[in-house]
Structures are given as C-alpha cells and as structure tokens.
C-alpha cells in the first residue's frame, strides 16, 4: 500500500497536530504513507523548520499556497482551515480523494441550524467523525468524505451518550466546559494574549449561543425518545490544551449509581479511546494531554436527583487531529488505533 497525504492549513494547530500523529503512524514508519503537500496561507514560502521546529522530520519542507492544484493528486487531504473555507476546496477535489475536514462546514445535518450559528452558504453534511457513536463506524469505513467533529461536542457527546441511550436521565443537559486557548486556533486575538488569559477564567458564548450547541443535540437526539435540550457554557482557562466538561441532567425515576456504572462500562467495553475511570477518580486534563483518549466519570447526586458526568480530552488530539487520523484509518481500511497514543502526559 502507498498512501500520499496532504495537509491544508498545515501550520495551524489542527494541521500541526495531524502531522505530529502522522509522523508516528506505523504506515509512515514503514514507508507506506508519504507526506505530500503542506499548505498555508500567510506562511507560504517558509520552511516547516522555521515555523514548527517540533516536527524535525519535516524541517526542510516548504509551505506552499493552499490551492486545489497543490492538493490534487493525493490519496488523502486533511483540511485544517477556518470555518467557511473548506466547502469549495472539498467540492473541487475528485471523488477518489479521501477528504477529511476539521472545520464545521459539513458537520450539521439541519440547514436551519447552520444559518442560525454560522455565516455563509450551507454546504451539506458528510459522514460524522466520532466512530464511537453507534452506526458511525460503518459509515466511515465506506466514505471518501469526513466531517471531523468539534472538540466540545466530542467531549460532551461521549460523556453523555451512555446515559441518554440507556434512558438513565431526562435529556435536559446543563453543561459547563473548561477549555484551553488552543481551541480558538492560531490567530492574533487580544483576548487570547497571555496577559489576558494567565491567572484568569472567563465564560463566553453562554447558555445555547455557542456554535457547537446544535452539534451536540444532533449527536444525542437519535438515541433519546424525548427532545434533547442543551444549555452549554464554555469557560476559557489558562491552559494550552484540554477540555474538562461537567454535564448535569435529571435522573430518570428509580435510577441508582449501580445502574449508571453498569451502563457506562457496558457501552464503552470495546472502545479503546473511551476510558470509564475507577470510582472516585476524576478526569484531569493533564492525564489526556497528547493522547486520543476521553476520560469519563459519573456521580449520582441522590439528594438533588441529578446525574453529574465529568469528561476530559485533549482538544487538539481526540478533539481534532486524533479524530481526523482515526477516521483516516477507518476509511483506508487500516487498524483504527494506528498511530494514536492512549497514554497521556502526566504530570
């Protein structure tokens, strides 16, 4: 097998993470996967070594313009571009190319949701890149187009899905999710400066206004007999990587902690990247940093009649780049876990 891969937006955080993972992929190490065009917009003409010295294997490579011409001729094209830039490129790449989009352009099935939360024309939807959602893995094995999910929806969906699908909760979710600054991408923004973020916590896009809200509802609704509602507020923290989501929902009548525990362990028993932690151990962002894992814990608050779910992941790995490589593996018929680390960086 010979696989030629291009990365558009290679100098962004998502593109850099995809490259980091590809460079440790067994197919790359065996000489079967080749890294082709690396494209960027403002960095065209510069070397990888000067922009991303953490990728020494590619230090002599030059960043080229993000054009369809530079991306054609590859077996796989990863699109690590801002929202609204992927759709046209995706249309112009042939049906034989596996195109994996890390932006939001093709995530939403409902056109009205797109118009409510994003600008520009609705481009349609592609198979959705959370393989752990029942039914998705089969679609991803047969596709040439993948919409990588948002990092918040991945955390919240995988944290909540066992409870929703087993009817353990009323699907009225209240979510607070703490995130690091890399989730906003590599762009100049005063609110993301070190002086603005260090020693500071700030909520933003509160209660249903964040763009990822309809994506979370879309993911959970097929598994619930009742209408799913989500009140979601993210909090920006002085972290480089990581998301910790705390999800609270009313318990269904008669549900106890043993039922909850059994449902979660059964749901994720065969899922390599979903780790239901031992009782009493809470998810921590440092334990998933650099890994493709989601760490999950549940707590039954009997007095309040609530299920409290904690879930943590690395927004750049399982939340973006790792999900993209995981989907590539499935679509190409490779081992799904190939090149994807389970061990995090701790401390």
């Amino acid at each position: 097998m010979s696989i030629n891969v291009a990365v558009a937006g290679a100098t962004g955080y998502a593109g850099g993470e995809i490259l980091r993972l590809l460079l440790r992929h067994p197919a790359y190490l065996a000489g079967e996967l080749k890294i082709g065009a690396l494209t960027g917009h403002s960095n065209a003409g510069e070397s990888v070594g000067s922009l991303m010295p953490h990728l020494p294997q590619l230090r002599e490579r030059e960043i080229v313009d993000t054009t369809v011409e530079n991306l054609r001729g590859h077996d796989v094209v990863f699109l690590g571009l801002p929202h609204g830039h992927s759709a046209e490129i995706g249309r112009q790449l042939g049906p034989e190319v596996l195109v994996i989009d890390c932006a939001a352009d093709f995530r939403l099935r409902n056109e009205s949701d797109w118009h409510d939360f994003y600008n520009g024309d609705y481009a349609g939807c592609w198979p959705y890149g959370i393989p752990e959602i029942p039914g998705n893995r089969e679609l991803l094995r047969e596709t040439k187009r993948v919409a990588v999910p948002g990092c918040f929806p991945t955390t919240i969906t995988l944290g909540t899905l066992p409870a929703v699908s087993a009817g353990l909760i009323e699907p009225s979710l209240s979510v607070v999710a703490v995130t690091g600054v890399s989730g906003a991408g590599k762009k100049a923004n005063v609110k993301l400066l070190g002086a603005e973020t260090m020693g500071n916590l700030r909520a933003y896009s509160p209660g249903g206004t964040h763009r990822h809200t309809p994506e979370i509802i879309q993911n959970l609704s097929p598994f619930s007999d009742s209408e799913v509602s989500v009140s979601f507020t993210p909090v920006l923290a002085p972290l480089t990587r990581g998301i910790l989501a705390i999800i609270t929902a009313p318990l269904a009548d008669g549900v106890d902690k043993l039922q909850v525990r059994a449902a979660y362990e059964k749901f994720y028993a065969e899922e390599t990247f979903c780790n239901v932690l031992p009782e009493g151990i809470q998810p921590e962002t440092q334990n998933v940093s650099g890994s493709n894992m989601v760490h999950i814990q549940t707590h039954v608050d009997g007095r309040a009649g609530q299920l409290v779910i904690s879930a943590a992941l690395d927004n750049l790995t399982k939340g973006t780049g790792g999900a993209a490589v995981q989907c590539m593996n499935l679509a190409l018929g490779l081992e799904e876990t190939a090149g994807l680390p389970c061990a995090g960086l701790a401390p």
Side-chain angles (χ1 to χ4, degrees):
M1 175 184 289
S2 178
I3 307 164
N4 197 12
V5 175
V7 179
T11 61
Y13 290 143
E17 185 73 352
I18 289 167
L19 289 170
R20 181 181 76 88
L21 296 170
L22 290 178
L23 289 169
R24 67 185 305 277
H25 196 288
Y28 176 82
L29 298 175
E32 297 169 353
L33 186 152
K34 308 290 186 184
I35 296 177
L38 305 177
T39 82
H41 177 60
S42 58
N43 301 121
E46 298 184 61
S47 71
V48 171
S50 65
L51 297 168
M52 297 183 288
H54 68 292
L55 304 176
Q57 301 97 314
L58 303 173
R59 61 181 174 269
E60 303 300 331
R61 298 288 302 278
E62 181 180 324
I63 302 299
V64 298
D65 287 328
T66 301
T67 65
V68 173
E69 290 70 24
N70 284 331
L71 296 173
R72 283 197 179 113
H74 296 85
D75 303 298
V76 182
V77 174
F78 291 98
L79 299 178
L81 304 173
H83 301 321
H85 291 73
S86 302
E88 188 58 34
I89 290 176
R91 289 191 191 97
Q92 294 184 57
L93 293 172
E96 74 284 353
V97 181
L98 173 58
V99 183
I100 301 176
D101 181 27
C102 295
D105 294 36
F106 299 99
R107 292 175 187 161
L108 295 177
R109 292 192 291 268
N110 190 322
E111 183 173 354
S112 65
D113 285 339
W114 173 266
H115 291 304
D116 286 344
F117 286 87
Y118 294 91
N119 297 319
D121 296 332
Y122 177 65
C125 66
W126 289 352
Y128 189 75
I130 299 183
E132 294 84 0
I133 295 177
N136 279 16
R137 189 168 273 117
E138 292 70 26
L139 295 175
L140 292 165
R141 286 193 178 109
E142 299 173 354
T143 190
K144 290 291 188 181
R145 296 291 186 270
V146 176
V148 175
C151 49
F152 284 123
T154 300
T155 318
I156 297 163
T157 298
L158 292 176
T160 312
L161 191 55
V164 171
S165 62
L168 302 176
I169 57 173
E170 298 174 22
S172 177
L173 310 182
S174 178
V175 184
V176 174
V178 180
T179 184
V181 295
S182 63
K186 189 189 289 187
K187 60 180 180 289
N189 186 328
V190 170
K191 290 184 178 181
L192 300 179
L193 291 173
E196 303 293 329
T197 57
M198 288 187 296
N200 188 37
L201 295 172
R202 175 172 57 85
Y204 63 100
S205 299
T209 62
H210 193 279
R211 287 175 167 183
H212 286 168
T213 302
E215 198 177 331
I216 300 163
I217 295 171
Q218 172 181 283
N219 293 345
L220 297 174
S221 291
F223 302 94
S224 175
D225 294 331
S226 304
E227 183 178 356
V228 175
S229 68
V230 176
S231 179
F232 162 49
T233 300
V235 176
L236 186 67
L239 305 169
T240 301
R241 294 169 175 254
I243 291 175
L244 176 66
I246 308 300
I247 306 140
T248 307
L251 281 165
D253 291 341
V255 172
D256 60 31
K257 70 175 185 178
L258 293 178
Q259 289 173 274
V260 172
R261 186 77 192 179
Y264 271 75
E265 290 181 346
K266 180 179 179 181
F267 195 94
Y268 288 131
E270 304 299 324
E271 293 295 349
T272 300
F273 299 124
C274 295
N275 182 16
V276 181
L277 296 175
E279 288 192 59
I281 305 299
Q282 283 293 323
E284 300 181 37
T285 55
Q286 71 170 356
N287 292 332
V288 293
S289 183
S291 82
N292 203 53
M293 298 296 295
V294 183
H295 286 189
I296 301 167
Q297 185 57 275
T298 60
H299 172 73
V300 171
D301 184 346
R303 293 188 177 185
Q306 301 283 312
L307 179 61
V308 181
I309 306 159
S310 308
L313 55 66
D314 184 326
N315 57 291
L316 292 181
T317 314
K318 182 57 174 168
T320 310
V325 173
Q326 188 177 349
C327 292
M328 178 197 77
N329 289 340
L330 283 166
L332 295 178
L334 302 173
E335 182 68 32
E336 182 179 341
T337 59
L340 297 170
C342 292
L345 304 174

CSV table of all heavy atoms in Angstrom, one decimal, residues 261-286:
chain,number,residue,atom,x,y,z
A,261,ARG,N,-23.3,3.0,36.5
A,261,ARG,CA,-21.9,2.4,36.4
A,261,ARG,C,-22.0,1.3,35.4
A,261,ARG,O,-21.1,1.2,34.5
A,261,ARG,CB,-21.4,1.9,37.7
A,261,ARG,CG,-20.0,1.5,37.7
A,261,ARG,CD,-19.0,2.7,37.7
A,261,ARG,NE,-17.7,2.3,37.4
A,261,ARG,CZ,-16.7,3.1,37.3
A,261,ARG,NH1,-16.9,4.4,37.4
A,261,ARG,NH2,-15.5,2.7,37.0
A,262,ALA,N,-22.9,0.4,35.5
A,262,ALA,CA,-23.0,-0.7,34.6
A,262,ALA,C,-23.3,-0.3,33.2
A,262,ALA,O,-22.7,-0.9,32.2
A,262,ALA,CB,-24.1,-1.7,35.1
A,263,ALA,N,-24.1,0.7,33.0
A,263,ALA,CA,-24.4,1.2,31.6
A,263,ALA,C,-23.2,1.7,31.0
A,263,ALA,O,-22.9,1.5,29.8
A,263,ALA,CB,-25.5,2.2,31.7
A,264,TYR,N,-22.4,2.5,31.7
A,264,TYR,CA,-21.2,3.1,31.1
A,264,TYR,C,-20.2,2.1,30.8
A,264,TYR,O,-19.5,2.1,29.7
A,264,TYR,CB,-20.7,4.2,32.0
A,264,TYR,CG,-21.3,5.6,31.8
A,264,TYR,CD1,-22.6,5.9,32.2
A,264,TYR,CD2,-20.6,6.6,31.1
A,264,TYR,CE1,-23.1,7.1,31.9
A,264,TYR,CE2,-21.1,7.8,30.8
A,264,TYR,CZ,-22.4,8.1,31.2
A,264,TYR,OH,-23.0,9.3,31.0
A,265,GLU,N,-19.9,1.2,31.7
A,265,GLU,CA,-18.9,0.2,31.4
A,265,GLU,C,-19.3,-0.7,30.3
A,265,GLU,O,-18.4,-1.1,29.5
A,265,GLU,CB,-18.7,-0.7,32.7
A,265,GLU,CG,-18.0,0.1,33.8
A,265,GLU,CD,-17.8,-0.7,35.1
A,265,GLU,OE1,-18.4,-1.8,35.2
A,265,GLU,OE2,-17.0,-0.2,35.9
A,266,LYS,N,-20.6,-1.1,30.1
A,266,LYS,CA,-21.0,-1.9,29.0
A,266,LYS,C,-20.9,-1.1,27.7
A,266,LYS,O,-20.4,-1.7,26.7
A,266,LYS,CB,-22.5,-2.3,29.2
A,266,LYS,CG,-23.0,-3.2,28.1
A,266,LYS,CD,-24.5,-3.6,28.4
A,266,LYS,CE,-25.0,-4.5,27.3
A,266,LYS,NZ,-26.4,-4.8,27.5
A,267,PHE,N,-21.3,0.1,27.7
A,267,PHE,CA,-21.3,0.9,26.5
A,267,PHE,C,-19.9,1.1,25.9
A,267,PHE,O,-19.7,1.0,24.7
A,267,PHE,CB,-21.9,2.3,26.7
A,267,PHE,CG,-22.3,3.1,25.5
A,267,PHE,CD1,-23.6,3.0,25.0
A,267,PHE,CD2,-21.5,3.9,24.8
A,267,PHE,CE1,-24.0,3.7,23.9
A,267,PHE,CE2,-21.8,4.6,23.7
A,267,PHE,CZ,-23.1,4.5,23.2
A,268,TYR,N,-18.9,1.2,26.7
A,268,TYR,CA,-17.6,1.5,26.3
A,268,TYR,C,-16.6,0.3,26.4
A,268,TYR,O,-15.4,0.5,26.3
A,268,TYR,CB,-17.0,2.7,27.0
A,268,TYR,CG,-17.7,4.0,26.5
A,268,TYR,CD1,-18.1,5.0,27.4
A,268,TYR,CD2,-17.8,4.3,25.1
A,268,TYR,CE1,-18.7,6.1,27.0
A,268,TYR,CE2,-18.4,5.5,24.7
A,268,TYR,CZ,-18.8,6.4,25.6
A,268,TYR,OH,-19.4,7.6,25.2
A,269,ALA,N,-17.2,-0.9,26.7
A,269,ALA,CA,-16.3,-2.0,26.9
A,269,ALA,C,-15.4,-2.3,25.8
A,269,ALA,O,-14.2,-2.8,26.0
A,269,ALA,CB,-17.2,-3.2,27.2
A,270,GLU,N,-15.8,-2.1,24.6
A,270,GLU,CA,-15.0,-2.4,23.4
A,270,GLU,C,-14.3,-1.2,22.7
A,270,GLU,O,-13.8,-1.3,21.7
A,270,GLU,CB,-15.8,-3.1,22.4
A,270,GLU,CG,-16.5,-4.4,22.9
A,270,GLU,CD,-15.5,-5.4,23.3
A,270,GLU,OE1,-14.4,-5.5,22.7
A,270,GLU,OE2,-15.8,-6.1,24.3
A,271,GLU,N,-14.4,0.0,23.4
A,271,GLU,CA,-13.9,1.2,22.8
A,271,GLU,C,-12.5,1.6,23.4
A,271,GLU,O,-12.4,2.0,24.6
A,271,GLU,CB,-14.9,2.4,23.0
A,271,GLU,CG,-16.2,2.2,22.3
A,271,GLU,CD,-16.0,2.3,20.8
A,271,GLU,OE1,-14.9,2.6,20.3
A,271,GLU,OE2,-17.0,1.9,20.1
A,272,THR,N,-11.5,1.5,22.6
A,272,THR,CA,-10.1,1.7,23.0
A,272,THR,C,-10.0,3.1,23.6
A,272,THR,O,-9.2,3.3,24.6
A,272,THR,CB,-9.2,1.5,21.9
A,272,THR,OG1,-9.3,0.2,21.4
A,272,THR,CG2,-7.7,1.8,22.3
A,273,PHE,N,-10.6,4.1,23.0
A,273,PHE,CA,-10.3,5.5,23.4
A,273,PHE,C,-11.3,6.1,24.4
A,273,PHE,O,-11.2,7.3,24.6
A,273,PHE,CB,-10.3,6.4,22.1
A,273,PHE,CG,-9.2,5.9,21.1
A,273,PHE,CD1,-9.5,5.6,19.8
A,273,PHE,CD2,-7.9,5.8,21.5
A,273,PHE,CE1,-8.5,5.2,18.9
A,273,PHE,CE2,-6.9,5.4,20.6
A,273,PHE,CZ,-7.2,5.1,19.3
A,274,CYS,N,-12.1,5.3,24.9
A,274,CYS,CA,-13.1,5.8,25.9
A,274,CYS,C,-12.8,5.1,27.2
A,274,CYS,O,-13.1,3.9,27.3
A,274,CYS,CB,-14.5,5.6,25.5
A,274,CYS,SG,-15.0,6.6,24.0
A,275,ASN,N,-12.3,5.8,28.2
A,275,ASN,CA,-11.9,5.2,29.5
A,275,ASN,C,-12.8,5.7,30.6
A,275,ASN,O,-12.8,6.8,31.0
A,275,ASN,CB,-10.5,5.6,29.8
A,275,ASN,CG,-9.9,5.0,31.1
A,275,ASN,OD1,-10.5,4.0,31.6
A,275,ASN,ND2,-8.9,5.6,31.6
A,276,VAL,N,-13.7,4.7,31.1
A,276,VAL,CA,-14.5,5.0,32.2
A,276,VAL,C,-13.6,4.7,33.5
A,276,VAL,O,-13.2,3.6,33.8
A,276,VAL,CB,-15.8,4.1,32.3
A,276,VAL,CG1,-16.6,4.4,33.5
A,276,VAL,CG2,-16.6,4.2,31.0
A,277,LEU,N,-13.3,5.8,34.2
A,277,LEU,CA,-12.4,5.7,35.3
A,277,LEU,C,-12.9,5.0,36.5
A,277,LEU,O,-14.1,4.9,36.7
A,277,LEU,CB,-12.0,7.1,35.7
A,277,LEU,CG,-11.3,8.0,34.6
A,277,LEU,CD1,-11.1,9.4,35.2
A,277,LEU,CD2,-9.9,7.4,34.3
A,278,PRO,N,-12.0,4.4,37.3
A,278,PRO,CA,-12.5,3.7,38.5
A,278,PRO,C,-13.2,4.7,39.4
A,278,PRO,O,-13.0,5.9,39.4
A,278,PRO,CB,-11.2,3.3,39.2
A,278,PRO,CG,-10.2,3.2,38.1
A,278,PRO,CD,-10.6,4.3,37.1
A,279,GLU,N,-14.1,4.2,40.2
A,279,GLU,CA,-14.9,5.1,41.1
A,279,GLU,C,-14.0,5.9,42.0
A,279,GLU,O,-13.0,5.4,42.5
A,279,GLU,CB,-15.8,4.2,41.9
A,279,GLU,CG,-17.0,3.6,41.2
A,279,GLU,CD,-18.1,3.1,42.1
A,279,GLU,OE1,-18.6,3.8,42.9
A,279,GLU,OE2,-18.4,1.9,42.0
A,280,GLY,N,-14.3,7.1,42.1
A,280,GLY,CA,-13.5,8.0,43.0
A,280,GLY,C,-12.4,8.8,42.3
A,280,GLY,O,-11.8,9.7,42.9
A,281,ILE,N,-12.1,8.4,41.0
A,281,ILE,CA,-11.1,9.0,40.3
A,281,ILE,C,-11.7,10.0,39.2
A,281,ILE,O,-12.5,9.5,38.4
A,281,ILE,CB,-10.2,8.0,39.5
A,281,ILE,CG1,-9.6,7.0,40.5
A,281,ILE,CG2,-9.1,8.7,38.8
A,281,ILE,CD1,-8.7,7.6,41.6
A,282,GLN,N,-11.4,11.3,39.3
A,282,GLN,CA,-12.0,12.2,38.4
A,282,GLN,C,-11.1,12.5,37.2
A,282,GLN,O,-9.8,12.4,37.3
A,282,GLN,CB,-12.2,13.6,39.2
A,282,GLN,CG,-13.4,13.5,40.1
A,282,GLN,CD,-14.7,13.4,39.3
A,282,GLN,OE1,-14.9,14.0,38.3
A,282,GLN,NE2,-15.6,12.7,39.9
A,283,PRO,N,-11.7,12.8,36.0
A,283,PRO,CA,-10.9,13.1,34.9
A,283,PRO,C,-10.1,14.4,35.1
A,283,PRO,O,-10.5,15.3,35.8
A,283,PRO,CB,-11.9,13.4,33.8
A,283,PRO,CG,-13.1,12.6,34.2
A,283,PRO,CD,-13.1,12.7,35.7
A,284,GLU,N,-8.9,14.4,34.6
A,284,GLU,CA,-8.0,15.6,34.6
A,284,GLU,C,-7.4,15.8,33.3
A,284,GLU,O,-7.0,14.9,32.6
A,284,GLU,CB,-6.8,15.4,35.6
A,284,GLU,CG,-7.3,15.1,37.1
A,284,GLU,CD,-6.1,14.9,38.0
A,284,GLU,OE1,-5.1,15.6,37.8
A,284,GLU,OE2,-6.2,14.1,38.9
A,285,THR,N,-7.3,17.1,32.9
A,285,THR,CA,-6.8,17.4,31.5
A,285,THR,C,-5.3,16.9,31.3
A,285,THR,O,-5.0,16.5,30.2
A,285,THR,CB,-6.9,18.9,31.2
A,285,THR,OG1,-6.2,19.6,32.2
A,285,THR,CG2,-8.4,19.3,31.2
A,286,GLN,N,-4.5,16.9,32.4
A,286,GLN,CA,-3.1,16.5,32.2
A,286,GLN,C,-3.0,15.0,31.8
A,286,GLN,O,-2.1,14.6,31.2
A,286,GLN,CB,-2.3,16.8,33.4
A,286,GLN,CG,-2.6,16.0,34.6
A,286,GLN,CD,-1.5,16.2,35.7
A,286,GLN,OE1,-0.5,16.9,35.5
A,286,GLN,NE2,-1.7,15.5,36.9
